Amino acid sequence: MKNLDKHDKIISAAIKVFAKKGFFNARISDIAKEAKVADGTIYLYFNNKFDILVSVFEEEIGKIIAQIELSLSSETDPQKKLEIFARHHLTAMKRNKNLAEVIQIELRQSNKVVRDYRNTAFQRYINLISEIINEGQSTGVFRKDIMPGIAKRALFGALDEVTRVWTSASDTSYTLEETIDQLYQIFISGLKIRS
Amino acid sequence: MKNLDKHDKIISAAIKVFAKKGFFNARISDIAKEAKVADGTIYLYFNNKFDILVSVFEEEIGKIIAQIELSLSSETDPQKKLEIFARHHLTAMKRNKNLAEVIQIELRQSNKVVRDYRNTAFQRYINLISEIINEGQSTGVFRKDIMPGIAKRALFGALDEVTRVWTSASDTSYTLEETIDQLYQIFISGLKIRS
Amino acid sequence: MKNLDKHDKIISAAIKVFAKKGFFNARISDIAKEAKVADGTIYLYFNNKFDILVSVFEEEIGKIIAQIELSLSSETDPQKKLEIFARHHLTAMKRNKNLAEVIQIELRQSNKVVRDYRNTAFQRYINLISEIINEGQSTGVFRKDIMPGIAKRALFGALDEVTRVWTSASDTSYTLEETIDQLYQIFISGLKIRS
Amino acid sequence: MKNLDKHDKIISAAIKVFAKKGFFNARISDIAKEAKVADGTIYLYFNNKFDILVSVFEEEIGKIIAQIELSLSSETDPQKKLEIFARHHLTAMKRNKNLAEVIQIELRQSNKVVRDYRNTAFQRYINLISEIINEGQSTGVFRKDIMPGIAKRALFGALDEVTRVWTSASDTSYTLEETIDQLYQIFISGLKIRS
DNA sequence: GATGAATGAGCGTTCATTCAT
DNA sequence: GATGAATGAACGCTCATTCAT
């Protein structure tokens, strides 16, 4: 964590504070204290409190998207790609629980700017799933009667909800491999016993 | 909507206002105006602003839980039960978009009381899913290697995320039947083409 | 001072505080304390700090204008009218030193709203002088080569500056009658010895 | 504007900024930018923001006083002296509108230091008028019943108010000669038609 | 001397909550 | 019970001033 410049220190602090208290209950002075800077310093790097939140989204989610795109690029099998996506998402969220919390909670705000962000940059992330499904359908691995536009929502929602519980410190009921395997089984093979 | 007493009028108004502005941006005076009562009147029925939110959860989600339990009680086939659950959830959320919004956003607050609620009463709702899966496994319809504790999260998460998009007024891409069928296909049969 | 409603109490307090500290150095809490209301109460009656200042101008100067118009209405002799104007201005300012201070200092702010006010409502006050001069010229009492547009400024400026010194508590060098007589002599008869 | 050292550059910039925004709305960074120096540099030449304002008064008004004293020294006729004073004041203010604005507005602040300055150095300027009147009375040109202590205020106030309007860029209603002549007529000969 | 990033005290304003009517 | 005017604690943000480079 050395050599982080002020901007990054503030972003990191904000993620921690937003995760703990939520955006609205977070105080600028909380973030400043956490970042070990003066309150006023924050305004040298961000326009206002809300701008900090948006920056967290843009910068941090951007990094995750870039990483996962990289991870997926070296794989061609759609089934494996879905597994990679799930594994990557889960581990990325687990590694940065605070960011996960912020994404899961604050990215749902009804605020117009947040909505817009969710509908653009974050959309890119979710669309990675529908692209994989499309590929699978093209190569004949996945059923053609599945609509990628709905399936991507279903998969992301499942992943997101499982993540919430799985990343919570208290939950040690399931291992990473177990969790991924379960999601994989459900989505790839379904619940029904094959006749 | 006839014969609503003040308490219910305030709850209804709060759902509308919370949905539109979010809990933190909602003003007590907004709710009072919407409920056509004086600001102070609200405090005759609720302890504080937060208490209104909790009451929304407890009373409104309680109603939905009761309804769905009733719907499920007359059905024995686990597969059909899952379908009923999905259909019921989607239609209930569509019918009351504002409540859906409040549940999806505000029930995720990091506040301790909200967390506790989510972990108790709301849990009951989600546990309906794991119970169905358990039943299916007992009766030999569902695979025994699926862990209901994870699967219930996956199904609820999928349902929740699909709901968010599907209930949004602008989205007319998919019909109710289409959406339910897709979820059913994915979860029951999986993505993979049966060999 | 009894039976003043909150609005008037705040205006009175603001005049006192603005006079003592100046608009920019005045704190809302100073005004609130002086008016014996809570800080927040001020915002039930005024939009913001600046709105208080503008209200002081509009309401208090409005009263003074109305009074002086009444005083002038019963007199026809232009010379006497000028004397009445001067006497009225001096006594009104002396009676309400704080308001005088606020008018003399804050009404000169470069702020657009203040400038506009000075150019409209306050203008009405100053124009009373040019109207009197016009009358005097019509009736042949005043020299026709005097331009009322410049003279009104000269007279008002003189009156204003004399007022500043004369109303200051410390200055007891000149009586009211003396001061008015001097202004009258200077403006009516000039400095020069009549040949 | 060549070869101004930092001190003078800052003073010039401050006059411009104070004139445009007023002292309280002016930012140190505004002045620094206008002077093309760093914010911190200002504190190498001035103790604080207020000190800049006081320096503007002391240095710039000092120059004007010196100039006018020089102009008056070569004239002996009191009437001519008054005319010179008015002409000098008007042209000096017109030449440096920004300084005029600062003097007219900021020199009225209720702050003790400003008051003191107005009562000392600035007083010297105004007293030039009473000295002229005294001379005129000694030489028998001016009426002895005029009290120089009041008349100096009246003349200065008139001059100041006329200046405000006359220097404003938009006002082209009156020429310099017209304006001076009018003031001269009013004060020297009065409004009344000589019988 | 010059810089400008950093500081943190200070204030206008908001709004949940109270309580006299 | 119902009202809504009044309260005052709380906080985002600004900006004069400092000081390490």
Side-chain angles (χ1 to χ4, degrees), chain D:
Chain D
M1 284 292 233
K2 59 194 167 182
N3 260 5
L4 287 180
D5 71 355
K6 292 259 164 69
H7 177 100
D8 288 349
K9 274 169 71 180
I10 294 167
I11 288 282
S12 292
I15 291 172
K16 202 178 249 179
V17 175
F18 288 160
K20 188 176 177 197
K21 304 187 152 195
F23 177 76
F24 289 102
N25 288 320
R27 306 288 148 240
I28 287 291
S29 57
D30 295 334
I31 299 174
K33 185 179 280 185
E34 180 71 37
K36 295 196 171 89
V37 299
D39 290 22
T41 304
I42 289 180
Y43 289 85
L44 298 175
Y45 296 91
F46 301 91
N47 296 322
N48 51 46
K49 188 186 173 186
F50 192 70
D51 186 35
I52 306 176
L53 180 63
V54 173
S55 298
V56 167
F57 291 153
E58 293 186 343
E59 298 173 24
E60 300 301 313
I61 298 184
K63 288 183 199 163
I64 292 179
I65 295 180
Q67 285 167 2
I68 206 164
E69 284 177 333
L70 186 64
S71 299
L72 292 175
S73 66
S74 57
E75 178 58 58
T76 52
D77 178 2
Q79 287 195 51
K80 290 236 176 79
K81 275 189 166 181
L82 276 189
E83 197 203 309
I84 289 172
F85 189 94
R87 182 184 305 276
H88 202 288
H89 184 83
L90 277 165
T91 51
M93 294 297 109
K94 182 92 173 189
R95 198 184 315 121
N96 199 339
K97 277 183 210 175
N98 288 330
L99 179 60
E101 192 99 350
V102 176
I103 290 174
Q104 286 174 340
I105 295 172
E106 308 303 342
L107 197 49
R108 284 181 164 88
Q109 272 186 37
S110 53
N111 180 289
K112 192 189 173 321
V113 178
V114 176
R115 283 195 122 90
D116 284 351
Y117 177 74
R118 195 178 164 93
N119 288 334
T120 54
F122 196 64
Q123 198 68 318
R124 229 181 96 200
Y125 185 67
I126 295 177
N127 281 343
L128 290 174
I129 303 175
S130 50
E131 285 163 20
I132 297 172
I133 297 176
N134 270 323
E135 277 177 50
Q137 291 178 325
S138 300
T139 59
V141 198
F142 292 156
R143 297 164 54 186
K144 292 218 165 59
D145 59 338
I146 294 299
M147 301 165 102
I150 291 180
K152 74 175 179 188
R153 293 278 164 205
L155 266 75
F156 176 75
L159 205 46
D160 186 56
E161 181 70 19
V162 167
T163 301
R164 185 191 345 281
V165 181
W166 186 71
T167 55
S168 76
S170 56
D171 193 297
T172 52
S173 332
Y174 309 103
T175 66
L176 171 63
E177 290 307 325
E178 232 169 24
T179 307
I180 290 172
D181 178 63
Q182 286 287 311
L183 287 171
Y184 186 85
Q185 293 299 329
I186 295 169
F187 282 103
I188 299 297
S189 312
L191 292 173
K192 201 175 185 177
I193 288 176
R194 304 252 159 174
S195 52

Side-chain angles (χ1 to χ4, degrees), chain A residues 24 101 105 108 118 143 145 147 153-154 158 161 164-165 182 185 187-192 194, chain B residues 24 105 108 115 118 143 145 147 153-154 158 161 164-165 182 185 187-192 194:
Chain A
F24 290 103
E101 191 97 352
I105 295 171
R108 284 180 165 88
R118 195 179 166 92
R143 299 165 51 188
D145 60 338
M147 301 165 101
R153 294 274 164 207
E161 181 71 18
R164 187 193 341 281
V165 183
Q182 285 288 310
Q185 293 300 329
F187 282 103
I188 301 296
S189 312
L191 292 173
K192 203 177 185 176
R194 304 251 159 173
Chain B
F24 290 103
I105 294 171
R108 283 180 166 88
R115 282 195 121 90
R118 194 177 165 94
R143 298 165 53 187
D145 59 338
M147 301 165 100
R153 293 276 165 205
E161 181 70 19
R164 186 193 340 283
V165 181
Q182 286 286 311
Q185 294 298 330
F187 282 103
I188 300 296
S189 313
L191 292 173
K192 202 176 186 175
R194 304 254 159 170

Side-chain angles (χ1 to χ4, degrees), chain B:
Chain B
M1 285 292 231
K2 58 193 168 184
N3 259 9
L4 287 179
D5 70 356
K6 293 258 165 69
H7 177 100
D8 289 349
K9 273 169 71 179
I10 294 167
I11 289 281
S12 293
I15 292 173
K16 202 179 249 178
V17 175
F18 288 159
K20 188 174 178 197
K21 304 188 153 193
F23 176 76
F24 290 103
N25 288 319
R27 307 287 148 238
I28 288 291
S29 57
D30 294 334
I31 300 174
K33 185 180 281 185
E34 180 71 39
K36 296 198 172 88
V37 298
D39 291 21
T41 304
I42 289 180
Y43 289 85
L44 297 175
Y45 295 90
F46 302 91
N47 296 323
N48 51 46
K49 188 186 173 188
F50 192 70
D51 187 36
I52 306 176
L53 181 64
V54 174
S55 298
V56 167
F57 293 152
E58 292 186 343
E59 298 173 24
E60 300 302 313
I61 298 183
K63 287 183 198 163
I64 293 178
I65 296 180
Q67 285 167 1
I68 207 164
E69 284 178 333
L70 186 65
S71 299
L72 293 173
S73 66
S74 57
E75 178 57 58
T76 53
D77 178 2
Q79 288 194 49
K80 289 239 176 76
K81 275 190 165 178
L82 276 188
E83 199 204 307
I84 289 172
F85 189 94
R87 182 184 305 275
H88 203 289
H89 184 82
L90 277 165
T91 49
M93 294 297 109
K94 183 94 173 186
R95 198 183 316 118
N96 198 339
K97 277 182 211 173
N98 289 329
L99 180 60
E101 191 99 350
V102 176
I103 290 173
Q104 287 174 341
I105 294 171
E106 308 304 341
L107 199 49
R108 283 180 166 88
Q109 272 184 38
S110 53
N111 180 289
K112 193 188 172 321
V113 179
V114 176
R115 282 195 121 90
D116 285 351
Y117 178 75
R118 194 177 165 94
N119 288 335
T120 54
F122 195 65
Q123 198 69 318
R124 230 180 98 200
Y125 184 68
I126 295 177
N127 282 343
L128 290 173
I129 303 175
S130 50
E131 285 164 18
I132 297 172
I133 296 176
N134 270 324
E135 277 176 49
Q137 291 178 326
S138 301
T139 60
V141 200
F142 291 158
R143 298 165 53 187
K144 292 221 166 54
D145 59 338
I146 294 300
M147 301 165 100
I150 291 180
K152 74 174 178 187
R153 293 276 165 205
L155 267 74
F156 176 74
L159 205 46
D160 186 55
E161 181 70 19
V162 167
T163 302
R164 186 193 340 283
V165 181
W166 186 73
T167 53
S168 75
S170 56
D171 193 297
T172 53
S173 332
Y174 310 103
T175 66
L176 171 64
E177 290 307 326
E178 234 169 21
T179 306
I180 290 172
D181 179 62
Q182 286 286 311
L183 287 171
Y184 186 85
Q185 294 298 330
I186 294 169
F187 282 103
I188 300 296
S189 313
L191 292 173
K192 202 176 186 175
I193 288 176
R194 304 254 159 170
S195 52

Side-chain angles (χ1 to χ4, degrees), chain A residues 5-21:
Chain A
D5 72 356
K6 291 261 161 66
H7 177 101
D8 289 349
K9 273 169 72 180
I10 294 167
I11 288 280
S12 294
I15 292 172
K16 202 178 250 179
V17 175
F18 287 160
K20 188 175 177 196
K21 305 189 153 193

Side-chain angles (χ1 to χ4, degrees), chain A residues 6 40-41 45:
Chain A
K6 291 261 161 66
T41 304
Y45 296 91

